[in-house]
Amino acid sequence: MNDLDPLLTPEGRALLDEVRDTDPAQELAVATRLRREHPAELVSAALGQARLRQRAVAKFGAEDAGRMFFTPNGVEQSTRASVAAYRARRMAGLGITSVADLCCGIGGDAIALARAGIRVLAVDRDPRTAAAARANADALDLAGLVEVREADVTDVDTAGFDAVFVDPARRGGRGRIFDPEAYSPPLSWAVSAARRAPRAALKIAPGIPHEAVPEDAEAEWISDGGDVKEAVLWFGTEPGAVRATLLPGPRTLLSRGLPDPGVRPPGRYLYEPDGAVIRAHLVAEVADRVGGGLLDATIAYVTADALYPTPYATAYEITDHLPFNVKKLKALLRERRVGTLTVKKRGSAVEPEELRRKVKPHGPHAATVFLTRVAGAPAMLIGHPARA
């Protein structure tokens, strides 16, 4: 019997509804009370599932998370719903009507694909995970478009599907896996499966080296709300293309093959490119858009004399540029009566909290300090978000 089976019974579902909003601090008291009327194993399973659903709200939203079923790894490794929905819309826009979703996990991507009107074969070899994916398709009324199969993805025939989506496991017993060939299945197998399909998308870690991207793939880095979430290798779209996509939106910046920007002295404005732009190596495209250059050849901060609003970078107006010196910074902040200090850093070993403790900001005003290098020298740039 699968671990989820008792929760899918009328008694289990009623118990899940009862413990939905249980405060973790009250779990022991709630469990003691419920075990007088229900089997102890069922109570433990319901409370465990309630905890997982609470954690899943950040990825799936309260409405879906409150109806879905999760495993601990499933919550951790599943795609954020907004990212999955974007990818599903892109697939639908390519005319894809059927997808073999390999390594489907608890079904987050399968759900998004089905909601985009795409028929899905969702495959996972772990029995508990496959059971959760099946339960989720049922819970969200998508079972008519999602078939869940418990199998090894390397044994699945994907012929007849318009596209293949592969999300290899990138975590092991010791945490994150950084070597693509240590993914499960390895990236090389996923690439081979992609090349056998009319179209394909492979979800990979955003830190993948650019030299590891196959020449016949399009590489896309995706951020959501400013946080880099993943990279995707697309096959059958635009071979060799590189893009950064920012959600919500979406807004997409394509590579034009520009050379690295030159280094120049700090101007009136500093632009902090979105993380997806940096991962996609598209800082040159941002610099070109704002007529700027780099503060340092090795750091992704762009400086310019004029303000050009762009969705691909956050602009700050710089009021002061100083060599790195904690005493001078403390004196300047005291003079400006700065009590709210945002610390950003690139190319500096100083920790933000350590700096805050040393400068002891106090007062009614706010400021942002950038700890970085300017033409190789440690520096501090002080300013605030630019206003158009």
Side-chain angles (χ1 to χ4, degrees):
M1 180 179 293
N2 190 280
D3 291 351
L4 286 179
D5 288 344
L7 295 176
L8 300 176
T9 64
E11 182 183 11
R13 291 180 184 275
L15 198 54
L16 278 173
D17 288 340
E18 187 172 350
V19 301
R20 175 191 298 266
D21 299 318
T22 300
D23 185 330
Q26 300 299 318
E27 268 194 16
L28 181 58
V30 171
T32 301
R33 174 176 58 80
L34 292 175
R35 283 170 181 161
R36 296 171 188 150
E37 301 176 6
H38 304 279
E41 295 81 1
L42 181 59
V43 172
S44 295
L47 286 169
Q49 192 60 222
R51 285 196 302 272
L52 294 175
R53 285 177 168 182
Q54 290 168 5
R55 285 172 52 195
V57 168
K59 284 189 174 182
F60 291 93
E63 184 175 350
D64 280 355
R67 299 163 62 192
M68 293 172 66
F69 294 87
F70 299 96
T71 65
N73 286 339
V75 173
E76 184 70 28
Q77 299 183 24
S78 57
T79 304
R80 182 179 289 264
S82 54
V83 178
Y86 158 73
R87 184 167 40 243
R89 289 193 301 270
R90 186 173 177 196
M91 285 190 169
L94 292 169
I96 293 169
T97 61
S98 61
V99 171
D101 178 2
L102 309 180
C103 310
C104 69
I106 54 92
D109 282 283
I111 289 166
L113 290 165
R115 284 176 167 168
I118 297 172
R119 179 173 59 86
V120 186
L121 170 63
V123 183
D124 203 286
R125 68 182 179 183
D126 180 70
R128 291 184 65 204
T129 304
R134 190 175 295 109
N136 289 334
D138 289 339
L140 300 179
D141 300 319
L142 297 169
L145 283 170
V146 179
E147 175 194 347
V148 179
R149 185 181 302 174
E150 181 189 326
D152 190 311
V153 296
T154 61
D155 296 331
V156 175
D157 181 7
T158 59
F161 288 89
D162 294 341
V164 166
F165 174 66
V166 188
D167 181 6
R170 296 182 302 282
R171 283 185 177 273
R174 297 183 178 180
R176 291 184 185 274
I177 297 172
F178 297 98
D179 177 7
E181 285 307 295
Y183 292 174
S184 179
L187 181 59
S188 57
W189 179 89
V191 169
S192 297
R195 288 172 174 158
R196 292 193 296 270
R199 284 195 169 96
L202 311 182
K203 177 180 169 182
I204 55 176
I208 186 172
H210 279 234
E211 57 268 24
V213 175
E215 292 183 358
D216 55 338
E218 170 197 330
E220 179 178 32
W221 279 262
I222 303 173
S223 68
D224 187 14
D227 295 328
V228 182
K229 294 302 178 185
E230 63 183 56
V232 184
L233 301 182
W234 293 88
F235 291 80
T237 53
E238 301 176 63
V242 176
R243 68 174 68 205
T245 296
L246 282 56
L247 302 176
R251 296 180 180 273
T252 295
L253 182 65
L254 280 167
S255 171
R256 293 185 285 134
L258 299 177
D260 292 339
V263 175
R264 53 152 291 177
R268 182 177 177 182
Y269 296 95
L270 181 149
Y271 292 84
E272 182 182 27
D274 183 90
V277 171
I278 296 172
R279 293 282 193 173
H281 294 181
L282 300 181
V283 174
E285 276 70 11
V286 169
D288 184 66
R289 281 172 174 255
V290 303
L294 297 179
L295 290 171
D296 184 273
T298 63
I299 295 175
Y301 280 144
V302 175
T303 185
D305 295 318
L307 178 61
Y308 294 98
T310 171
Y312 304 111
T314 303
Y316 295 83
E317 185 172 4
I318 299 303
T319 57
D320 300 272
H321 165 212
L322 305 169
F324 180 79
N325 186 298
V326 175
K327 289 184 178 179
K328 288 184 178 180
L329 177 62
K330 184 175 182 179
L332 186 147
L333 296 176
R334 186 187 305 117
E335 177 187 334
R336 303 275 173 82
R337 300 172 65 202
V338 171
T340 302
L341 182 66
T342 300
V343 181
K344 293 178 172 285
K345 69 165 195 165
R346 285 204 182 121
S348 172
V350 178
E351 291 301 326
E353 286 306 317
E354 175 190 355
L355 183 69
R356 285 195 193 89
R357 285 195 298 270
K358 289 181 177 179
V359 300
K360 298 182 175 71
H362 180 74
H365 301 137
T368 300
V369 59
F370 293 87
L371 306 178
T372 186
R373 293 194 301 271
V374 172
M380 305 181 298
L381 280 72
I382 298 92
H384 52 77
R387 297 173 182 84

